[in-house]
Amino acid sequence: MNKMILTGLTIICLLVMMAVFAPFLSKYDYKEQNILERLQPPSAKHLMGTDEYGRDVFTRMLYGARISMSVGLIAVLISAFIGIILGAISGYFGGVIDNIIMRFVDIVLTIPTLFLILMLVVFLGPSIFNIMFIIGLTSWTDIARIMRAEVMKLKKAEFVDAARLIGLRNRNIIIKHILPNALSPVFVYMTFGISGAILIESGLSFLGLGVQPPEPSWGNILTAGKDYIHSAWWMVAYPGLAIFLSVFGFNMLGEGLRDYLNPKIRKENL
Amino acid sequence: MKNYIFKRIILLIPMLIGITLITFIIIHLTPGEFTKINMQMDTRASPDSLARLRQLYGLDKPLHVQYFEWLKRFIKLDFGESFIDNRPVMDKILERLPATLLLNIISLFLIFSFGIIIGVTSAVRRNSFYDRLMMIFTFIGYSMPAFWLALILMLFFGVKLELLPISGMKSIDFEEMNFFEKIFDILSHLILPVFVTSFGGLAYISRYVKSSMVDTLSQQYIKAAYAKGLPEKKVIYRCALKNSLLPLITLLGLSLPGLIGGSFIFETIFAWPGMGRLAYEAAMSFDYPVIMGVVTIAAFLTILGNLIADVLYAVVDPRIRYK
C-alpha cells in the first residue's frame, strides 16, 4: 500500500461518511428557509454560515455530498458497464465485430465530449437522472479501449486455451475467466472517471445546467454563492473546497492504484 | 508512408459522415426544438404559425432529406446560416477564431515549456523532496475546479487589488488607445484566463515527460554514455532529453482540436469571445446550423490532429517508420 492510495482513501472515506451520516451531523433541513437569518457568516450555530434564503450551508454541503458523489459514481458505473461489455466483445472476437465497434469508438471519441454533454443536457433538460446518464453514455470509450487491449492480451493465455479445450462456451470464458483478470486497469480508470464526472457536474452547475436547486449539489451551492461573492465568501469557499478535495482524493487514489498495479514501479518503491 | 497517409485521408470521409450523422440525429430526435422555444415566449402563437415557422427553417421535411441537404451544402464548405441572426455560420466561426487561438496558443506554449522543465527535473531527481513537491503542485492544478480558481483569482486580483481586468478581451475604451496601449490592454486581459488554463493542464504534460524521461534514463545507451565517461549533464541534456521528448509530438497533435475549439467553461467564466462561447450560445439557443458547424470543424480537427501526430512521429522516429 503506498501513501497516495492511503491519502486518497482517507479523503474519500471522510467525504462518504459526511454523505451517509448527513441527517445525524446536522439538525437543520437542507430545504428549510429562514429569511431572518440570511447570509449569516460562519458561527457556532451555523458552522459554514447561511445562504441567500437563510438555509444552513453546512447542511446543504452534507446533502450536496450525497448528490455530487452519487452523480460521479453512477455515471462511472454506467460508462464502465458499456465500456467493459463492448471492449470485451471487441477484444475477444476480433475481426469484423472488433472493426465495427472500434470505428464506432473512434467516431464517438472525435466528437468533443464536453460539448456533446452540454448539448444533450440542454436538449433533454437538466435532471439528476439525465445528468448521470448523459455523462455515463458519453464517457465509456476509454474504458472500452483499455478493456479491449487487456482482453486481447489475455485471450492468448494458456488458461483461456484450457477453458476452451474443456468445452466452455464463449460467454462463460469471457465472464468467468477473462473479465476478473482484465479488470484492474479498468478500476484505475474508473477512479479517475469519478473525479472527472464530479468536475463535469459542477461545471454544468456553474452554467446553470447541473443538478437544479433546491436539490443541493456542491456545484450549485457554489454557483448560487457566486452572486454574493463580495459579501458571503463562505458560500463560495466551502463548496469549492469540497469539489477540490473529492477530485483530489479520487485522483490520488487512481494514481496510487496505477503505481501499485504497475510491477515496474512497485519494485522500485519497495 | 505515402500510401499510409493516403489511406488515412480516405478514412476521413466515412468518419466525418458518421460524426455529422450522430450529431444530426441527437439534434433532431431530442424533444427541444428551436421553433418551439421561440413559440413558448409568444402565448398568442397558433399551431398554424408554428407549422409555418418550421417550414421557414426547413424543419418540416423528413430527417433524411434534411441531412442530405446539409451534406450537399457541406461539400461546398457551406454550413448554412444561423437561425438566430441569419448570418453565415462560417462567418460567425471565423470571427470567433482569433480570440480562442490567441488564448490557447499562449497557454499551450506555457503548458509545454513548464511541463517539460518540471518533468525533466523531477525525473532526474526522482523521489527527492523536489520531485514530490512538484507532483503535489501539478496535482493540485489538475484537481482544481477551474471556475472556482477563476472566481477566487478574479475576486483577489480584479476586485480587491484592482490590478487586472476580470472579463472580456478588451477594455471599453479600446478603440481610443494607441497601438502599444492596445497590446498592453489585451495582454492584461489575458493573464487570468491563461493562468487558469495552464495551471490545469500542467500535470498531464509534466507527468508524461517525467515517465518518458525515467524510461529513457534506464536504457542501455544511457549507461553506455556514462561508462564512456561523459559528464552527467551531457548525458541527461544531450542524450536522454531528445529521446524522451519524442512522444510529446503526439500530444502536440492531440491538442490541436482544443487549440481551435476552445473550452466553453473557461470562455464563459471570463466572457472570452471565442469558439467555446459560440458553441455554448448555439447549444443554449438551439441554433442547429451553428451546432453542426462547430461539431464538424472540431471533429475534423481531431482527426487531422491525430493524423499529423502519427505522421510526425514516424518522421522523427525511424524505428516506427520501418515497421
Side-chain angles (χ1 to χ4, degrees), chain B residues 5-301:
Chain B
I5 298 177
F6 184 70
K7 240 194 258 166
R8 290 283 296 263
I9 291 177
I10 292 296
L11 255 176
L12 252 170
I13 298 167
M15 289 274 293
L16 273 179
I17 291 181
I19 292 153
T20 52
L21 195 61
I22 290 180
T23 317
F24 194 83
I25 291 172
I26 291 174
I27 289 177
H28 288 275
L29 289 190
T30 41
E33 195 190 275
F34 174 70
T35 47
K36 284 182 198 147
I37 297 297
N38 270 16
M39 282 296 166
Q40 272 165 7
M41 300 185 190
D42 191 351
T43 44
R44 289 165 304 170
S46 64
D48 187 41
S49 53
L50 177 69
R52 255 182 293 146
L53 199 61
R54 297 194 68 192
Q55 198 184 4
L56 180 67
Y57 288 105
L59 294 171
D60 55 335
K61 294 175 197 151
L63 275 190
H64 62 275
V65 177
Q66 286 189 48
Y67 180 68
F68 279 113
E69 278 178 2
W70 184 86
L71 209 58
K72 244 189 275 167
R73 268 182 295 151
F74 166 63
I75 292 168
K76 290 179 271 175
L77 280 182
D78 173 13
F79 287 110
E81 287 166 1
S82 160
F83 281 175
I84 303 298
D85 52 11
N86 296 323
R87 291 178 47 218
V89 173
M90 213 47 178
D91 287 5
K92 290 188 88 159
I93 289 175
L94 288 178
E95 164 191 296
R96 296 299 187 96
L97 201 55
T100 295
L101 270 182
L102 179 70
L103 172 61
N104 287 325
I105 286 178
I106 298 177
S107 307
L108 208 62
F109 176 76
L110 289 178
I111 291 176
F112 270 85
S113 23
F114 281 98
I116 290 173
I117 293 172
I118 293 175
V120 170
T121 45
S122 327
V124 173
R125 282 185 262 170
R126 200 148 25 119
N127 292 331
S128 67
F129 174 71
Y130 171 83
D131 178 23
R132 298 222 164 95
L133 190 76
M134 280 300 135
M135 209 204 80
I136 292 174
F137 172 71
T138 53
F139 224 76
I140 288 176
Y142 181 57
S143 311
M144 186 81 85
F147 49 88
W148 188 53
L149 181 64
L151 268 180
I152 294 172
L153 292 176
M154 281 155 92
L155 185 69
F156 191 69
F157 289 105
V159 183
K160 284 253 159 68
L161 298 179
E162 292 186 18
L163 270 178
L164 296 169
I166 55 172
S167 73
M169 195 168 96
K170 296 164 181 170
S171 301
I172 303 167
D173 51 352
F174 186 77
E175 294 309 320
E176 293 142 33
M177 294 178 180
N178 66 36
F179 182 68
F180 291 106
E181 279 170 343
K182 274 185 181 168
I183 290 185
F184 183 76
D185 187 53
I186 291 186
L187 280 181
S188 66
H189 279 86
L190 268 167
I191 293 177
L192 287 184
V194 163
F195 178 78
V196 174
T197 352
S198 328
F199 189 33
L202 207 53
Y204 194 64
I205 303 287
S206 62
R207 247 194 51 134
Y208 201 87
V209 172
K210 185 184 157 192
S211 68
S212 166
M213 187 77 181
V214 167
D215 211 44
T216 315
L217 285 176
S218 66
Q219 297 289 324
Q220 289 293 332
Y221 65 83
I222 296 294
K223 291 200 183 102
Y226 275 120
K228 183 169 99 166
L230 277 184
E232 182 162 19
K233 275 212 170 114
K234 257 193 184 161
V235 177
I236 291 169
Y237 294 105
R238 188 126 354 125
C239 310
L241 189 61
K242 263 194 228 160
N243 283 299
S244 60
L245 291 188
L246 278 184
L248 272 189
I249 291 173
T250 323
L251 288 190
L252 209 56
L254 294 181
S255 42
L256 184 70
L259 191 68
I260 294 172
S263 143
F264 62 86
I265 295 181
F266 286 119
E267 292 185 2
T268 309
I269 308 168
F270 289 107
W272 195 257
M275 289 279 283
R277 228 181 125 66
L278 177 69
Y280 170 69
E281 287 160 3
M284 291 301 277
S285 53
F286 294 79
D287 194 348
Y288 300 155
V290 178
I291 296 176
M292 287 297 286
V294 169
V295 171
T296 312
I297 288 181
F300 176 73
L301 288 171

Side-chain angles (χ1 to χ4, degrees), chain A residues 173-189:
Chain A
I173 297 178
I174 295 179
I175 295 177
K176 289 207 181 125
H177 298 275
I178 293 186
L179 268 191
N181 290 296
L183 280 181
S184 53
V186 174
F187 278 137
V188 173
Y189 191 85

Side-chain angles (χ1 to χ4, degrees), chain A residues 237-259:
Chain A
Y238 292 121
L241 201 66
I243 299 169
F244 169 69
L245 271 180
S246 62
V247 172
F248 189 79
F250 282 111
N251 282 347
M252 271 280 168
L253 179 65
E255 197 80 6
L257 280 178
R258 173 154 50 195
D259 285 359

